[in-house]
Amino acid sequence: MYPQLFSPGVQHTLELVGIFVFAMSGALLAVRKNFDVFGMAVLAEVTALGGGLIRDVVIGAVPPVAFTDLGFFLTPLAATALVFFLHPQVERIQIAVNVFDAAGLGLFCVAGTLKAYEYGLGLTASATLGMATAVGGGVLRDMLANEVPSLLRWDRDLYAVPAVVGSAMAAVCIKLDALTPATMGLAVMVAFVLRLLAMRYHWRAPRAWHRRSTVKEVQPEEVAV
């Protein structure tokens, strides 16, 4: 068992905050897609809990925590209610939502990596599942909304890369037997700051070298994953 970054109570509270922000991004996409309130709730739940659900099923941590912690299930519903009634106001604070989303990304990629390793996976697989914990919900959300996942689009600021870096740092700390609350916090902060910088300077992954494509390039409005 590895040390926790925060006390169990603080860790749980931060996880609920991250879940709430992830859920808001799902509910907002549902509003843009003109979904009804049930569709909003589904996208909110999937966005908030999908990554952790994938991780828990893969590592055999069943039933997944999404089904054993009532707070995890109810928090996305609270986010849905907020967006249902106040979505114009929420849209206006999208920058703040994205900042909290970036913090959740950092926390979940590291926590996911550690949990996967504790269940017996190797370092590479653990880091991969850590990344999936952080970004998997957004992929499922986009698929349900009939969109190309933001993770695969060249015209979106880097999102998965910061999660990969944070997960990889946690895995390296495990390998070097240097995993402490301080190094865990550093991995979280690096992922968080990388995501903020990507949003600020619109960093994007390169496309194929000497690419030849007939696909029309469109610059869509940036949304949080």
Side-chain angles (χ1 to χ4, degrees), residues 21 93-101:
V21 175
I93 61 169
Q94 185 67 57
I95 293 178
V97 172
N98 287 346
V99 170
F100 282 104
D101 181 273

PDB file of all heavy atoms in Angstrom, residues 21 93-101:
ATOM      1  N   VAL A  21     -16.930  18.573 -11.686  1.00  0.00           N
ATOM      2  CA  VAL A  21     -16.507  19.390 -12.836  1.00  0.00           C
ATOM      3  C   VAL A  21     -16.552  18.571 -14.122  1.00  0.00           C
ATOM      4  O   VAL A  21     -17.011  19.058 -15.165  1.00  0.00           O
ATOM      5  CB  VAL A  21     -15.098  19.954 -12.596  1.00  0.00           C
ATOM      6  CG1 VAL A  21     -14.604  20.704 -13.828  1.00  0.00           C
ATOM      7  CG2 VAL A  21     -15.094  20.876 -11.386  1.00  0.00           C
ATOM      8  N   ILE A  93     -18.545  30.981 -17.291  1.00  0.00           N
ATOM      9  CA  ILE A  93     -17.377  30.738 -16.434  1.00  0.00           C
ATOM     10  C   ILE A  93     -16.615  29.499 -16.921  1.00  0.00           C
ATOM     11  O   ILE A  93     -16.014  28.787 -16.127  1.00  0.00           O
ATOM     12  CB  ILE A  93     -17.786  30.580 -14.953  1.00  0.00           C
ATOM     13  CG1 ILE A  93     -18.738  29.382 -14.774  1.00  0.00           C
ATOM     14  CG2 ILE A  93     -18.399  31.857 -14.423  1.00  0.00           C
ATOM     15  CD1 ILE A  93     -18.958  29.018 -13.313  1.00  0.00           C
ATOM     16  N   GLN A  94     -16.646  29.280 -18.228  1.00  0.00           N
ATOM     17  CA  GLN A  94     -16.016  28.088 -18.793  1.00  0.00           C
ATOM     18  C   GLN A  94     -14.527  28.022 -18.486  1.00  0.00           C
ATOM     19  O   GLN A  94     -13.968  26.940 -18.278  1.00  0.00           O
ATOM     20  CB  GLN A  94     -16.229  28.055 -20.309  1.00  0.00           C
ATOM     21  CG  GLN A  94     -15.725  26.799 -20.994  1.00  0.00           C
ATOM     22  CD  GLN A  94     -16.522  25.569 -20.601  1.00  0.00           C
ATOM     23  OE1 GLN A  94     -17.735  25.538 -20.773  1.00  0.00           O
ATOM     24  NE2 GLN A  94     -15.852  24.560 -20.069  1.00  0.00           N
ATOM     25  N   ILE A  95     -13.872  29.178 -18.418  1.00  0.00           N
ATOM     26  CA  ILE A  95     -12.434  29.179 -18.125  1.00  0.00           C
ATOM     27  C   ILE A  95     -12.187  28.609 -16.736  1.00  0.00           C
ATOM     28  O   ILE A  95     -11.293  27.776 -16.537  1.00  0.00           O
ATOM     29  CB  ILE A  95     -11.860  30.602 -18.231  1.00  0.00           C
ATOM     30  CG1 ILE A  95     -11.902  31.084 -19.690  1.00  0.00           C
ATOM     31  CG2 ILE A  95     -10.424  30.631 -17.715  1.00  0.00           C
ATOM     32  CD1 ILE A  95     -11.396  32.495 -19.886  1.00  0.00           C
ATOM     33  N   ALA A  96     -12.983  29.035 -15.776  1.00  0.00           N
ATOM     34  CA  ALA A  96     -12.826  28.504 -14.412  1.00  0.00           C
ATOM     35  C   ALA A  96     -13.119  27.010 -14.380  1.00  0.00           C
ATOM     36  O   ALA A  96     -12.431  26.240 -13.697  1.00  0.00           O
ATOM     37  CB  ALA A  96     -13.751  29.252 -13.453  1.00  0.00           C
ATOM     38  N   VAL A  97     -14.143  26.580 -15.108  1.00  0.00           N
ATOM     39  CA  VAL A  97     -14.468  25.157 -15.176  1.00  0.00           C
ATOM     40  C   VAL A  97     -13.294  24.377 -15.750  1.00  0.00           C
ATOM     41  O   VAL A  97     -12.937  23.295 -15.257  1.00  0.00           O
ATOM     42  CB  VAL A  97     -15.734  24.930 -16.021  1.00  0.00           C
ATOM     43  CG1 VAL A  97     -15.973  23.438 -16.262  1.00  0.00           C
ATOM     44  CG2 VAL A  97     -16.953  25.547 -15.339  1.00  0.00           C
ATOM     45  N   ASN A  98     -12.653  24.928 -16.784  1.00  0.00           N
ATOM     46  CA  ASN A  98     -11.519  24.245 -17.404  1.00  0.00           C
ATOM     47  C   ASN A  98     -10.330  24.132 -16.453  1.00  0.00           C
ATOM     48  O   ASN A  98      -9.576  23.147 -16.493  1.00  0.00           O
ATOM     49  CB  ASN A  98     -11.093  24.981 -18.672  1.00  0.00           C
ATOM     50  CG  ASN A  98     -12.067  24.786 -19.817  1.00  0.00           C
ATOM     51  OD1 ASN A  98     -12.918  23.916 -19.777  1.00  0.00           O
ATOM     52  ND2 ASN A  98     -11.959  25.627 -20.832  1.00  0.00           N
ATOM     53  N   VAL A  99     -10.141  25.137 -15.605  1.00  0.00           N
ATOM     54  CA  VAL A  99      -9.045  25.090 -14.632  1.00  0.00           C
ATOM     55  C   VAL A  99      -9.288  23.959 -13.635  1.00  0.00           C
ATOM     56  O   VAL A  99      -8.381  23.167 -13.337  1.00  0.00           O
ATOM     57  CB  VAL A  99      -8.907  26.439 -13.902  1.00  0.00           C
ATOM     58  CG1 VAL A  99      -7.931  26.314 -12.732  1.00  0.00           C
ATOM     59  CG2 VAL A  99      -8.416  27.509 -14.865  1.00  0.00           C
ATOM     60  N   PHE A 100     -10.500  23.871 -13.120  1.00  0.00           N
ATOM     61  CA  PHE A 100     -10.817  22.775 -12.198  1.00  0.00           C
ATOM     62  C   PHE A 100     -10.744  21.418 -12.898  1.00  0.00           C
ATOM     63  O   PHE A 100     -10.342  20.410 -12.308  1.00  0.00           O
ATOM     64  CB  PHE A 100     -12.204  22.978 -11.584  1.00  0.00           C
ATOM     65  CG  PHE A 100     -12.229  23.988 -10.478  1.00  0.00           C
ATOM     66  CD1 PHE A 100     -12.746  25.255 -10.686  1.00  0.00           C
ATOM     67  CD2 PHE A 100     -11.728  23.681  -9.227  1.00  0.00           C
ATOM     68  CE1 PHE A 100     -12.769  26.193  -9.672  1.00  0.00           C
ATOM     69  CE2 PHE A 100     -11.741  24.601  -8.193  1.00  0.00           C
ATOM     70  CZ  PHE A 100     -12.266  25.878  -8.412  1.00  0.00           C
ATOM     71  N   ASP A 101     -11.140  21.398 -14.161  1.00  0.00           N
ATOM     72  CA  ASP A 101     -11.043  20.172 -14.945  1.00  0.00           C
ATOM     73  C   ASP A 101      -9.586  19.725 -15.057  1.00  0.00           C
ATOM     74  O   ASP A 101      -9.271  18.538 -14.945  1.00  0.00           O
ATOM     75  CB  ASP A 101     -11.647  20.409 -16.333  1.00  0.00           C
ATOM     76  CG  ASP A 101     -11.598  19.167 -17.210  1.00  0.00           C
ATOM     77  OD1 ASP A 101     -10.573  18.954 -17.885  1.00  0.00           O
ATOM     78  OD2 ASP A 101     -12.589  18.429 -17.232  1.00  0.00           O
TER      79      ASP A 101
END
